[in-house]
Amino acid sequence: NNIKGFTSYPNPVTNNQFTIASNSNSKKEVVVFNLLGKKVLETNFSGAKSTIDVSSLHSGIYMLRVLEDGKQASKKLVIK
């Protein structure tokens, strides 16, 4: 995890949305992959914090990848 202050919560996601935050207000690219490596959600936002809606995704385990200023953070994301 190279992004300063990176966090995502709650995990597991129980209410169809979760929050991503970091110390920087830079533009962030958020991508969610299923376990087969298929991109199932992609969004962008600028600012230190944003809530991401995952109501279109089924319950399961996903990989979350966030890109910011050429840095990347990856995390397992569980959706209940």
Side-chain angles (χ1 to χ4, degrees):
N1 177 3
N2 297 321
I3 298 176
K4 284 195 186 311
F6 173 76
T7 183
S8 67
Y9 57 90
N11 195 358
V13 178
T14 54
N15 63 350
N16 288 330
Q17 54 189 13
F18 69 98
T19 301
I20 291 178
S22 83
N23 292 350
S24 167
N25 285 320
S26 299
K27 182 178 177 190
K28 293 166 191 59
E29 180 184 332
V30 180
V31 186
V32 178
F33 298 92
N34 65 16
L35 291 181
L36 299 174
K38 182 178 179 221
K39 190 184 296 182
V40 292
L41 181 77
E42 184 172 17
T43 186
N44 296 292
F45 71 91
S46 292
K49 186 171 167 183
S50 180
T51 300
I52 310 294
D53 181 2
V54 290
S55 57
S56 62
L57 301 180
H58 297 290
S59 296
I61 299 172
Y62 296 87
M63 282 304 299
L64 168 67
R65 186 175 76 199
V66 179
L67 300 169
E68 171 190 284
D69 292 336
K71 297 176 183 166
Q72 177 177 307
S74 296
K75 192 170 185 181
K76 185 166 81 170
L77 183 68
V78 179
I79 299 176
K80 294 250 180 193

